Structure formats: structure tokens, C-alpha cells
Amino acid sequence: MSPSTQIAIGAHVEQTDPVAEAQARGTTLVQFFLGDPQGYKGPEIRYAGGAAALRKAAEEAGVDLYVHAPYIVNVATTNNRIRIPSRKLLQQHMDAAAEIGAKGLIVHGGHVNKTDDPAKGFDNWRKAVEATDIKIPLLIENTAGGDNAMARHLDRIAGVWDAIAAAANADRVGFCLDTCHAWAGGIELPTAVEKVRAITGRLDLVHANDSRDAFDSGADRHANFGNGQLDEHDFAGVVREAGAPVICETPGGADEHRADFAWLREHGV
């Protein structure tokens, strides 16, 4: 693969100045939160000059921006006190991400309550997609833990996809494959890309993360590359086969991230 066609590799960074964070890592691709990832307060643009200035700075620097929605968003749940605020928060972050010119908004699949029929969660995802003004691609991410999760196991991902296919704007919904989550969630890495693509028809983004914990452990604990339990060949193979832009959500700052980028390049990405 020639340098001009190499897969873009970036990292999750602090949100105050994402463009400077990208430049410190020698990349043209970063992901960040807009505000508190654990709060319902709504998005916050911390970049000096606001959303328009961030959009302009990113465009001038040739940096692609991705926004990760707050972890607490759960549009699948039957609990109205969580689902309704989650839908509102999802729309707010969609609007803010579009305003800064982001390439996509990543959101976790969420979960239903222990006694709920998963089909209720699938249908709630359909309703959420229909109710959201999807201005930029909405990328659903697989998650590591929970027997009631909507996007841990392949059959549940298929259930979500089948349900949202009925929504008019389903073509604006894509998929983000997290390697640590797949491993910890019980998805075999060598066939992960093939099986996800068979379900979704697409793979828009990769979250490249090693895992501190064992296969199917349900534990979401990321590690720098080569410091976790992922087989090097399988891990690099997933990233290569996906062929999508890559975000490293690994510990540390610019130095650690540059080392992770180099590890991927050394392993043929």
C-alpha cells in the first residue's frame, strides 16, 4: 500500500484544541468529546472562538474531526427517564458535531433492562433514528459488556440493524468497530470484520485498542498496542481488513499515541 493510500490513523484527544492535538501527534484525524461524557448538560465547545473557528481551523489544517457522544446516551432502554433525555442529548451532540464540520458522531449501542425483551431495544433504536435529524453520519459502536447490551454480540447488532433499516434515514447510520470491545465482548477477531460487514453492509470507523482483559470478559479496559491480550496478527488484521479510518483510544498523550501509530504501521496497516 503506497503512502498516499494508507489508512488514516489518529487518536482520541482532549477537546480544548483538537487541531493542535492532531498536529502534536503528526496526524490528520482526531476524535473528542464535546463537553462532559458522563453528563446530560449538553455539548460544550471549548475551542477558543467557538464552533465556527474550530471548523475553519480544522479545514485549513486538513484535520478530520470525529465526535464521541456521551457514554450515558442510551436510546434503547425502556426507562423513559433515561431514553427521552438520551434522545435529546443525541440530537444536541449531532447538531454541535455538524456545526464544527465533524465527519461522524459515534454513539454506544446502549442496553435494555434485564427483564426486557431485546426486541424492545431494537425498536427503540428505530424510533431514535427516525426522531433524529441526522446531519452527519451516526456511527453505532459495539460495546464490551452486559448481557442486555444492544451491540455486544453479533446477533444483537443484527437485531438493531434490521430494526433501523425501516427508518427513512437508515442510510445515514454507520458502524464503528472497537477491537477491545469486540475481544472483551466475545467476538472472534479473525472474522469480526467479515461478520460485521455481513450484518451492516458497511464499516465506517475503527477504534483500535488493545485489551487488558481476557476474551469475552465483558471488561472495557483499553491498553496500548502490544501491552494487552490481543494477538498481534489478529489485531493488525482487523484494522487492515476494515480499511476504515482509525482512532486509537489508548492511554497516554502524544508520545504514547505516536508509538501506537508506529506499531500499526510496523504491522502492515
Side-chain angles (χ1 to χ4, degrees), residues 55-121:
R55 182 175 190 144
K56 184 170 185 275
E59 288 173 352
E60 289 177 350
V63 173
D64 287 346
L65 309 177
Y66 284 83
V67 174
H68 200 303
Y71 295 131
I72 57 169
V73 170
N74 182 5
V75 300
T77 182
T78 58
N79 185 335
N80 290 345
R81 289 175 294 177
I82 296 175
R83 188 181 70 260
I84 293 170
S86 289
R87 278 200 205 168
K88 178 182 177 182
L89 196 60
L90 183 64
Q91 184 67 68
Q92 289 174 333
H93 281 264
M94 173 61 69
D95 294 345
E99 194 176 3
I100 64 169
K103 303 300 182 184
L105 175 67
I106 298 94
V107 62
H108 287 178
H111 56 87
V112 292
N113 295 325
K114 188 174 182 180
T115 57
D116 285 335
D117 181 346
K120 293 181 179 178

Side-chain angles (χ1 to χ4, degrees), residues 3-265:
S4 62
T5 58
Q6 276 189 329
I7 294 170
I9 303 173
H12 185 93
V13 301
E14 204 278 323
Q15 63 187 294
T16 302
D17 190 345
V19 175
E21 298 286 356
Q23 292 168 337
R25 289 159 177 79
T27 185
T28 58
L29 175 70
V30 287
Q31 172 188 281
F32 47 95
F33 294 110
L34 287 176
D36 181 5
Q38 301 287 359
Y40 285 104
K41 187 178 178 182
E44 177 186 356
I45 308 291
R46 295 179 185 170
Y47 186 79
L54 175 54
R55 182 175 190 144
K56 184 170 185 275
E59 288 173 352
E60 289 177 350
V63 173
D64 287 346
L65 309 177
Y66 284 83
V67 174
H68 200 303
Y71 295 131
I72 57 169
V73 170
N74 182 5
V75 300
T77 182
T78 58
N79 185 335
N80 290 345
R81 289 175 294 177
I82 296 175
R83 188 181 70 260
I84 293 170
S86 289
R87 278 200 205 168
K88 178 182 177 182
L89 196 60
L90 183 64
Q91 184 67 68
Q92 289 174 333
H93 281 264
M94 173 61 69
D95 294 345
E99 194 176 3
I100 64 169
K103 303 300 182 184
L105 175 67
I106 298 94
V107 62
H108 287 178
H111 56 87
V112 292
N113 295 325
K114 188 174 182 180
T115 57
D116 285 335
D117 181 346
K120 293 181 179 178
F122 303 152
D123 197 49
N124 281 340
W125 253 113
R126 176 190 61 79
K127 291 174 181 176
V129 168
E130 289 180 341
T132 304
D133 181 7
I134 304 179
K135 300 175 177 177
I136 60 172
L138 177 65
L139 309 181
I140 300 175
E141 178 184 351
N142 62 305
T143 50
D147 292 334
N148 312 305
M150 292 288 97
R152 173 180 179 176
H153 300 299
L154 292 167
D155 62 334
R156 295 287 178 84
I157 295 171
V160 171
W161 234 257
D162 287 346
I164 65 176
N169 50 356
D171 63 323
R172 301 290 285 160
V173 181
F175 197 80
C176 172
L177 177 63
D178 188 301
T179 58
C180 170
H181 296 176
W183 165 266
I187 298 175
E188 298 277 0
L189 292 184
T191 56
V193 171
E194 177 188 358
K195 290 183 176 178
V196 167
R197 273 215 184 100
I199 293 167
T200 66
R202 59 193 288 176
L203 218 165
D204 301 79
L205 189 69
V206 171
H207 281 172
N209 303 300
D210 209 329
S211 174
R212 289 170 55 186
D213 294 278
F215 181 76
D216 207 19
S217 62
D220 181 6
R221 297 199 298 173
H222 299 185
N224 295 100
F225 307 159
N227 295 336
Q229 298 204 30
L230 300 193
D231 176 85
E232 291 186 10
H233 174 77
D234 292 346
F235 178 24
V238 166
V239 181
R240 284 196 307 269
E241 188 181 352
V246 175
I247 294 290
C248 302
E249 296 180 317
T250 46
D255 290 345
E256 290 80 6
H257 289 154
R258 282 196 301 267
D260 283 336
F261 300 170
W263 187 97
L264 284 175
R265 296 301 186 203

